[in-house]
Amino acid sequence: MLKYPNLTILQGKNMIKTIIKSSLALSIAASAAFALPASHFNVIDGDQEEKYEAKFLPSLEDATGFSLSDPHEKIDDAYKARYGNPEDPDYDKDWTTNLDNLGFFSISNDVALKPILESSPQAAGFQPFNLHIYKTKAENVTYIGHLAPETMLDITGVTNEADRKAYVDMFKPLDAYVTKEFGGKIINTTFDKLPAKPMMTFEFEVDRSGDIVEWAETFQEEFEAAFEEKHYIIAGFKNFVETYEDLETPMKGYDQFFVYGLCHFTFSYNVFNKGRPDAGVFAPCAMYFYIKEGSNKMVVGMPRLAVWAAVMEIKDPVKLEWIKKIDDEIVGIMKGLGAKEI
């Protein structure tokens, strides 16, 4: 047996067989390297909206540990009322009802998430996340699912192996419960690669001359006003410091830690009602803010919408133009608030 670094060559009649096996293994590994997990969906026959909202969601926390915050049901009805109404200023002359149901239901497992956030705060880039449900007019099936947790971690830049394992494991009871309650065919989609810069990140100077809670609340008012002025909807808000105080397990190492859910309604309409309701696994966009104990910096992060295009393999030029516009606009709003892009 002749040995070289990372390579073992066998002499004699076993050599060819070994080369063939090794080549096959390398081929499989190479293929796997380009097949990254994108989304996980249960595809169930019929319209499951009523069961999902009336029976499944109320039992979710007891069954899985995931609690619901900021539900947004029947977004398709809001699209119809605005873009399908000739009397509305935003009426779309090309309006077509493509959806029977579109719902964003932000959930998080706060107990399991706490140690992860304490050591890898950027994981909040998808916390809470959308347990997405949709049904199109074209199919008599309902889709229930979410973005792959491994890809959430890759986008937000979580590298701590223990945190990554705990984060992925957190989803297993959720997926098992969806399957138990709804069954259906499970579809796991894949994609090739992320953009070079999947996150937008910022820093703000923190004024510690007064009360840090009052400073944060003043900032939140200015933040909400700036985004609403640009026609964004504040689709969700979660204060993790307060959440863990309520759970009587105070968060370690942070004076402030909160997450906003942002939605640009016209952008969402032009993506979800125009052929890509599956991309709703990214909605609403989660932007996290944290101030470590004693720090004079507030760190902010949000996945760029460019990752939507990469992970969901969006190719439509109109949608790609929208994605770039929203990414650029959000950066501009944040800088207008005094953020330093990092």
Side-chain angles (χ1 to χ4, degrees):
M1 184 181 290
L2 304 175
K3 293 185 178 180
Y4 295 86
N6 301 317
L7 178 65
T8 300
I9 299 177
L10 298 181
Q11 293 179 323
K13 63 182 180 180
N14 290 326
M15 182 174 66
I16 300 300
K17 186 184 293 185
T18 301
I19 290 173
I20 292 172
K21 287 182 178 179
S22 298
S23 298
L24 179 60
L26 288 171
S27 176
I28 292 171
S31 298
F34 292 99
L36 303 171
S39 65
H40 175 96
F41 276 103
N42 284 63
V43 185
I44 309 114
D45 289 340
D47 189 341
Q48 301 295 324
E49 177 190 357
E50 183 176 352
K51 178 179 178 181
Y52 183 83
E53 294 180 18
K55 297 180 180 179
F56 173 76
L57 289 175
S59 64
L60 183 64
E61 186 169 8
D62 286 343
T64 68
F66 283 86
S67 58
L68 173 67
S69 59
D70 303 308
H72 297 281
E73 68 279 353
K74 294 296 291 181
I75 296 170
D76 49 300
D77 283 349
Y79 289 158
K80 183 177 181 180
R82 183 168 175 179
Y83 305 104
N85 178 8
E87 304 300 318
D88 193 284
D90 290 326
Y91 172 64
D92 182 356
K93 62 181 178 59
D94 296 321
W95 163 260
T96 303
T97 303
N98 293 319
L99 298 168
D100 278 333
N101 184 33
L102 182 74
F104 302 156
F105 294 86
S106 298
I107 64 172
S108 58
N109 185 329
D110 297 329
V111 173
L113 190 60
K114 180 174 180 284
I116 299 171
L117 291 183
E118 287 176 342
S119 62
S120 297
Q122 66 270 44
F126 287 102
Q127 293 296 329
F129 66 92
N130 181 18
L131 186 60
H132 189 34
I133 181 170
Y134 74 90
K135 181 183 180 300
T136 68
K137 289 283 186 185
E139 296 181 289
N140 189 32
V141 295
T142 298
Y143 293 78
I144 299 173
H146 56 78
L147 190 63
E150 298 89 346
T151 293
M152 293 182 185
L153 296 168
D154 291 343
I155 291 168
T156 55
V158 175
T159 57
N160 181 293
E161 288 301 323
D163 289 343
R164 287 182 68 92
K165 182 180 185 305
Y167 192 94
V168 172
D169 288 347
M170 182 172 65
F171 282 73
K172 293 177 180 177
L174 173 65
D175 292 340
Y177 192 60
V178 173
T179 297
K180 176 178 177 290
E181 293 298 306
F182 292 98
K185 179 181 179 182
I186 295 174
I187 295 179
N188 293 299
T189 64
T190 61
F191 71 106
D192 291 339
K193 64 179 180 179
L194 290 172
K197 293 182 178 180
M199 295 289 291
M200 56 178 75
T201 53
F202 309 93
E203 280 185 352
F204 285 88
E205 294 287 336
V206 174
D207 181 2
R208 287 217 172 243
S209 61
D211 182 77
I212 191 66
V213 174
E214 290 182 5
W215 182 90
E217 289 176 348
T218 299
F219 171 83
Q220 289 162 6
E221 292 173 2
E222 295 172 356
F223 173 88
E224 292 174 16
F227 274 88
E228 288 170 351
E229 183 181 356
K230 293 292 186 178
H231 309 294
Y232 289 77
I233 296 170
I234 304 302
F237 178 80
K238 182 151 188 162
N239 188 318
F240 278 110
V241 168
E242 291 181 356
T243 294
Y244 292 121
E245 286 176 352
D246 291 343
L247 292 173
E248 299 182 348
T249 56
M251 199 170 194
K252 298 175 184 176
Y254 296 89
D255 285 331
Q256 288 289 298
F257 200 136
F258 51 89
V259 179
Y260 273 98
L262 297 173
C263 175
H264 190 288
F265 204 59
T266 302
F267 164 76
S268 77
Y269 161 70
N270 279 285
V271 175
F272 307 141
N273 193 60
K274 296 188 176 182
R276 294 308 304 267
D278 56 326
V281 292
F282 279 97
C285 298
M287 182 180 283
Y288 65 78
F289 302 73
Y290 67 81
I291 305 171
K292 291 193 172 183
E293 286 183 352
S295 173
N296 64 352
K297 302 285 186 183
M298 180 167 67
V299 178
V300 183
M302 190 187 94
R304 295 181 187 274
L305 276 78
V307 302
W308 294 37
V311 175
M312 306 310 291
E313 297 187 331
I314 296 172
K315 307 295 185 184
D316 178 8
V318 175
K319 292 181 178 62
L320 293 176
E321 184 178 350
W322 263 108
I323 284 169
K324 185 179 186 307
K325 176 189 174 186
I326 297 297
D327 270 343
D328 291 345
E329 188 169 69
I330 291 174
V331 171
I333 295 170
M334 295 301 287
K335 286 183 176 179
L337 285 166
K340 175 185 176 182
E341 191 174 10
I342 56 174

